[in-house]
Amino acid sequence: MSVLARSVGNAFRNRVRTAAVVAVLAVAIGLALSMLVANQAVTGKVAELNASVGTVLTVNPAGGQGFEGGGEPLTAAQAATAAKVPNVSSVVGTKALRLRNAAAAAAEAAASQTGQAGPGGQGGPGLPGGQSATSVTTSLRAAIDAGTLGNRNQSSGTTGGTGSTSQSAPAFSLPVTATGIGAEVDSSGKALQLTQGTGLGNYTASSAGALLGITLAEKNNLKVGSTFTIGDKTFTVKGLFDAGTAFGNNALYLTLPTAQSLAALPGELSSMIVTVNSMENVDAAKTALQTALGTDKADVSQGQRNLQTAVSSLDSVKNISFIAFAAALATAGLIILLIMVMLVRERRREIGVLKAIGAPNRTIGLQFVLEALVLVALGSAVGAAVASFASGGIASALISSNSTTAAATGRRGGPGGFPGGFPGGFPEGNPLGGANQLLTSVTASASPGVIAAGIAAVFGVAIIGALVPALLTARIRPIEVLRGE
Amino acid sequence: MIEVKNLVRTFKSGDRTIKPVNDVSFELEQGTLASIVGKSGSGKSTLLSLLGALDKPTSGDVLVDGVSLAGMPDGQLTRYRRRDIGFVFQQFNLIPNLSAVDNVMLPMEFAGIRKAARAERARQLLEQVQLGPEKHVRRINRLSGGEQQRVAIARALANEPKLILADEPTGNLDEQTGEHIIELLSALSRDYNTTILVVTHDRALANKTDRRFRLQQGRLTEETARNRAAASLPG
């Protein structure tokens, strides 16, 4: 019988005790593995967030944002200045247009001429923000009904509005947002998720192609290859994208020069999306950018500040899960240490006999270490099963408790991205609205690699835990056996 | 040949110094069956543990075939116990969750003998101590006291030691079984040419050995010698 076989046999000497030890170990190991899985999932998510949305700054005209406010428009020269700021890796200009359905605009104009107070006069002289030149007509109809919020916002945005919709006012139809972009990103700097078709190719050249949100395309019965008009120009649908929100999908993207041409404002930008090379440099780049462009010319905001809060929340989850992993690991090691110390004390006589018949200390020590590893292997098997079921729930519990804290913090002081200047508001305008969505999208799955790494760590700790009692065996003197006779 | 020279072992007990082994000297020829009798606490077990290198003497020396144990490092003492000594204890001291054959194989495993060879030798030894084959694979706790002592004797013989030290080997057995065990030890000492030193309270048992020693207050005296009866192992 080999040392290993003897160790396995010893591990099952007292089956009730073995079952109890394995159960306790399984809880500790299961918790350790769950924490490791949660830690890995959150680490991955943090990296993903950092890589995608955590490093974007938005530059708007000073005093203006979206279609609200005033000030001077941004220019291509300012974009060039921004590109030279240290740690800025890219600058993408955008030009936003509000497209009114031609038929609806004509009906509203007719109503206005009969003396009724129009609901905002989109495209008319009363438009706030002095950006009336960027409103043009289109054959497209908005995919979203104005509803109560749209009509209320429209009414309050009118110079003569009273805050309530006039009974005689015709129903307001929402405009469609068309954005000229200098790269294949959305207005918040995230890559467009095309569900059909292709991109527009070179976004810095004029093009008769357009990318449509899926609900806008559906509302207008358009597919890839279909055509529609903006002003007097015909455009072909090159691709469809899914922005993930109803609002975001009621939009279309053109190349930047095309949008500037439609607005008859070449070289003018509505905003700039500035990407910084790493999250650590975002604050410094923001300050440098603000200085380079001038505070009277441009407002620089960290549109994803809320996401930074979210990332910091995830970072704390990562830290908590790592500490919990280490604590559970140490607990498993301590359990092994105590169990093996108990077994060594219990088998002092047997150890003495083994020494009396010539067993070297290393053989006896190895036997106890292997016995501990047998118990750990059983505990790991059960613990891995526990972790595969529990890790998702534990990760969710950790994340939800931390995101609640972060949301509370965000509501108190977060800049909040776009302040909802557009009728209906941007979803990002709600502090942590998008961040919470990202937080809850963290999925903790117990991958074999992570479980294997966790079990390897458990075995490492178990060996350390078992070595102490194994070394204790070396101190047992065989004479004690005969003295007990 | 075992030579014991002026062996002394002292212990401190509070302010007192106890000498359970006090200037003990004797020699045993190879193949001798000897006994040491004495009252409880006379130092019999202490002397046995010194001979078996389980304890170190305060002074004096033990020589086995001319090799001194004095000053031998622990590693070499372990090797000495493994190769040259076999122990038989009153409480048997077998490993309870192992079978009889596994217990006998243990010292051979420590000596690095291959598994097949040690299994074969373990079965032969168990047959020689008259333990039926059907009991070879039984767990120790399913064997009687006499059977367990036979397994312990087989284990002591596993590595063909020069000296077997038996501490009250019949102390836990009934009279008849005890007699069988002593006959077995006698036959083994002659057939294997192994020196066997038995520590016992039992004068009748001691009378069956070649040489009898008495240990009194740490001092050893030889009582008498007898001519050995012809005994032989089965088979």
Side-chain angles (χ1 to χ4, degrees):
Chain A
M1 180 173 268
S2 66
V3 179
L4 178 61
R6 206 160 50 246
S7 302
V8 173
N10 282 341
F12 290 99
R13 244 173 169 172
N14 183 332
R15 290 184 183 178
V16 175
R17 183 167 65 195
T18 300
V21 169
V22 167
V24 173
L25 275 175
V27 170
I29 294 170
L31 189 61
L33 294 178
S34 297
M35 287 301 165
L36 186 63
V37 169
N39 182 270
Q40 294 298 306
V42 173
T43 301
K45 194 67 188 179
V46 167
E48 185 189 324
L49 288 174
N50 282 341
S52 60
V53 294
T55 56
V56 174
L57 297 172
T58 306
V59 181
N60 286 298
Q65 203 166 57
F67 293 97
E68 295 287 334
E72 297 302 318
L74 297 172
T75 63
Q78 286 173 308
T81 303
K84 291 175 185 167
V85 169
N87 299 315
V88 167
S89 54
S90 72
V91 176
V92 176
T94 73
K95 179 62 188 170
L97 303 172
R98 306 174 90 174
L99 306 181
R100 299 301 311 280
N101 179 263
E108 285 168 19
S112 179
Q113 282 171 0
T114 59
Q116 291 179 354
Q122 296 296 318
L127 187 73
Q131 297 198 39
S132 59
T134 56
S135 288
V136 291
T137 57
T138 179
S139 61
L140 298 173
R141 285 182 300 141
I144 308 169
D145 292 332
T148 303
L149 289 174
N151 281 309
R152 189 184 297 160
N153 288 337
Q154 182 59 25
S155 176
S156 63
T158 309
T159 310
T162 58
S164 62
T165 308
S166 167
Q167 285 185 345
S168 56
F172 166 63
S173 70
L174 281 177
V176 173
T177 309
T179 307
I181 45 175
E184 198 169 287
V185 293
D186 66 12
S187 52
S188 65
K190 284 193 288 185
L192 282 174
Q193 299 295 314
L194 294 179
T195 56
Q196 285 183 45
T198 59
L200 299 178
N202 183 1
Y203 286 80
T204 58
S206 291
S207 164
L211 303 173
L212 265 65
I214 51 173
T215 54
L216 182 64
E218 190 180 348
K219 177 78 175 180
N220 292 279
N221 296 319
L222 297 176
K223 295 176 182 173
V224 173
S226 303
T227 57
F228 62 96
T229 61
I230 300 176
D232 56 356
K233 290 184 179 172
T234 301
F235 287 83
T236 304
V237 178
K238 293 287 186 182
L240 302 180
F241 65 86
D242 183 3
T245 61
F247 182 85
N249 285 333
N250 182 43
L252 65 91
Y253 289 99
L254 308 167
T255 65
L256 180 60
T258 307
Q260 289 170 327
S261 170
L262 285 169
L265 295 168
E268 189 177 302
L269 301 173
S270 299
S271 68
M272 291 188 283
I273 299 159
V274 178
T275 305
V276 181
N277 56 9
S278 79
M279 197 161 178
E280 292 74 35
N281 295 326
V282 167
D283 285 340
K286 184 185 171 189
T287 306
L289 200 56
Q290 187 68 77
T291 305
L293 297 175
T295 51
D296 58 334
K297 301 287 184 193
D299 286 337
V300 181
S301 61
Q302 193 177 345
Q304 309 298 342
R305 171 68 78 180
N306 50 3
L307 284 174
Q308 199 175 32
T309 310
V311 168
S312 108
S313 159
L314 283 179
D315 270 334
S316 71
V317 172
K318 196 171 80 170
N319 292 337
I320 290 168
S321 59
F322 183 77
I323 291 167
F325 166 69
L329 207 59
T331 305
L334 188 66
I335 291 168
I336 283 294
L337 172 72
L338 295 177
I339 291 290
M340 296 316 292
V341 166
M342 187 184 78
L343 290 179
V344 166
R345 288 182 66 84
E346 194 178 279
R347 296 192 203 147
R348 281 174 72 84
R349 188 180 190 86
E350 188 177 311
I351 293 165
V353 170
L354 289 174
K355 288 190 174 191
I357 63 174
N361 285 333
R362 65 173 182 280
T363 303
I364 299 171
L366 178 65
Q367 182 181 311
F368 276 89
V369 170
L370 289 176
E371 185 173 340
L373 293 185
V374 170
L375 293 172
V376 170
L378 291 170
S380 296
V382 182
V386 169
S388 67
F389 286 109
S391 57
I394 289 173
S396 298
L398 275 172
I399 289 166
S400 64
S401 65
N402 276 273
S403 62
T404 305
T405 311
T409 310
R411 282 188 198 103
R412 278 199 300 274
F418 293 100
F422 194 85
F426 285 95
E428 293 88 341
N430 176 19
L432 277 166
N436 266 340
Q437 217 171 14
L438 284 163
L439 282 172
T440 51
S441 70
V442 177
T443 47
S445 59
S447 71
V450 174
I451 293 288
I455 289 176
V458 168
F459 270 76
V461 170
I463 288 172
I464 294 167
L467 272 179
V468 176
L471 292 173
L472 282 179
T473 63
R475 299 180 62 182
I476 295 173
R477 297 172 62 209
I479 180 66
E480 292 168 27
V481 175
L482 282 179
R483 281 200 183 136
E485 285 287 302
Chain B
M1 178 165 163
I2 312 295
E3 295 173 74
V4 177
K5 291 182 176 175
N6 309 109
L7 209 58
V8 176
R9 181 68 171 104
T10 59
F11 295 105
K12 285 271 183 189
S13 175
D15 293 337
R16 289 193 312 142
T17 300
I18 303 166
K19 272 191 180 176
V21 176
N22 188 3
D23 197 22
V24 169
S25 298
F26 66 93
E27 288 177 8
L28 287 177
E29 291 295 329
Q30 199 59 33
T32 307
L33 175 63
S35 61
I36 298 176
V37 292
K39 293 177 184 172
S40 293
S42 60
K44 303 188 298 292
S45 293
T46 304
L47 177 58
L48 218 59
S49 63
L50 291 171
L51 297 177
L54 297 174
D55 195 9
K56 290 182 178 176
T58 308
S59 64
D61 199 0
V62 177
L63 292 95
V64 180
D65 286 345
V67 178
S68 167
L69 300 187
M72 205 179 253
D74 284 346
Q76 280 188 37
L77 287 176
T78 301
R79 249 197 314 279
Y80 162 70
R81 285 197 299 269
R82 188 160 62 223
R83 283 193 322 218
D84 297 332
I85 300 289
F87 284 100
V88 179
F89 303 102
Q90 182 179 355
Q91 303 286 349
F92 322 131
N93 282 333
L94 297 163
I95 308 301
N97 65 320
L98 299 185
S99 66
V101 73
D102 285 336
N103 266 283
V104 179
M105 284 165 67
L106 267 181
M108 292 186 270
E109 180 192 321
F110 301 145
I113 297 170
R114 284 187 309 107
K115 189 176 179 181
R118 59 182 190 247
E120 173 66 23
R121 178 161 170 75
R123 288 183 188 284
Q124 282 175 3
L125 286 170
L126 286 172
E127 281 171 22
Q128 282 183 342
V129 297
Q130 298 162 30
L131 191 76
E134 74 282 2
K135 294 176 181 173
H136 290 187
V137 291
R138 273 196 200 165
R139 285 198 171 198
I140 289 306
N141 51 15
R142 296 185 60 197
L143 297 176
S144 70
E147 288 167 339
Q148 287 188 43
Q149 197 59 299
R150 287 169 196 275
V151 175
I153 291 167
R155 183 181 68 181
L157 286 164
N159 287 333
E160 298 181 28
K162 291 175 178 145
L163 174 64
I164 288 179
L165 301 169
D167 192 3
E168 303 279 8
T170 59
N172 268 2
L173 305 174
D174 60 59
E175 191 179 339
Q176 191 180 4
T177 310
E179 273 187 21
H180 284 152
I181 290 296
I182 206 68
E183 281 168 13
L184 182 63
L185 288 173
S186 178
L188 288 170
S189 75
R190 197 193 57 232
D191 289 6
Y192 282 90
N193 194 32
T194 299
T195 305
I196 299 179
L197 182 59
V198 181
V199 162
T200 181
H201 282 106
D202 187 348
R203 183 156 290 278
L205 187 152
N207 285 339
K208 292 178 180 171
T209 60
D210 302 331
R211 294 176 68 186
R212 284 202 312 276
F213 296 94
R214 170 174 287 278
L215 194 64
Q216 210 165 15
Q217 293 179 330
R219 291 191 176 275
L220 192 75
T221 51
E222 183 160 7
E223 291 190 333
T224 182
R226 75 170 181 95
N227 288 326
R228 238 169 129 177
S232 61
L233 285 171

